[in-house]
Amino acid sequence: MAVKMQADEVAAYLDEVFPQVRGDFVIEEVADMAVRVRMPVAERHLRPGGTVSGPAMFALGDVSVYVAVIAMLGREALAVTTSGSFDFMRKPVAGVDMICECRLLKLGRVLAVGECLIFSDGVAGPVARMSMTYSIPPK
């Protein structure tokens, strides 16, 4: 299966169907079964203790898997998260953009399974690992 939508096309589609998150995420790269998404970290993403909040990182991973699915399938607004698992590995750097490197492990007719590594930009080790399963609506 080949990529059906490039980064700019997916970004425009997200702006159309999810205007409430416009500007929250930057799709940096779309490849076969993989994407790289940036979340510019703002004060609203921080929690006490000077770190990026878990919900903000979860949103980055969730959006990244959605972007990977859409890039491969095309305009499929009703693809939805059915399960997710999140492992926090180290404290993210506050005020530094978060980067999600996501790859799809499976893209079937009914389910897509993705795995994400989330990094503080410029830091070698991942701050979190996430796996997500998406349900793909019947055609």
Side-chain angles (χ1 to χ4, degrees):
M1 182 178 290
V3 171
K4 290 191 177 169
M5 296 176 76
Q6 296 302 318
D8 59 336
E9 296 170 306
V10 177
Y13 182 62
L14 286 181
D15 285 349
E16 177 187 321
V17 297
F18 294 112
Q20 65 272 27
V21 298
R22 182 176 287 127
D24 287 352
F25 305 98
V26 178
I27 303 166
E28 294 189 337
E29 183 180 344
V30 169
D32 186 33
M33 301 285 281
V35 298
R36 179 181 161 105
V37 179
R38 174 181 298 269
M39 181 178 71
V41 173
E43 188 172 334
R44 71 180 181 278
H45 299 117
L46 303 180
R47 64 172 298 263
T51 188
V52 178
S53 73
M57 288 189 285
F58 190 92
L60 173 59
D62 192 26
V63 164
S64 296
V65 175
Y66 185 78
V67 165
V69 169
I70 295 308
M72 294 305 296
L73 294 181
R75 300 170 66 90
E76 196 66 65
L78 297 179
V80 295
T81 308
T82 59
S83 67
S85 173
F86 204 95
D87 298 312
F88 295 99
M89 300 164 71
R90 55 185 54 83
K91 185 177 177 180
V93 180
V96 173
D97 288 358
M98 303 297 299
I99 305 293
C100 182
E101 296 178 356
C102 173
R103 64 187 178 116
L104 294 178
L105 304 175
K106 174 190 176 176
L107 182 59
R109 288 182 322 219
V110 177
L111 295 176
V113 178
E115 180 176 67
C116 301
L117 290 177
I118 299 175
F119 299 85
S120 288
D121 193 20
V123 179
V127 299
R129 186 200 68 82
M130 182 178 197
S131 62
M132 303 283 298
T133 302
Y134 262 72
S135 174
I136 299 167
K139 301 239 179 238

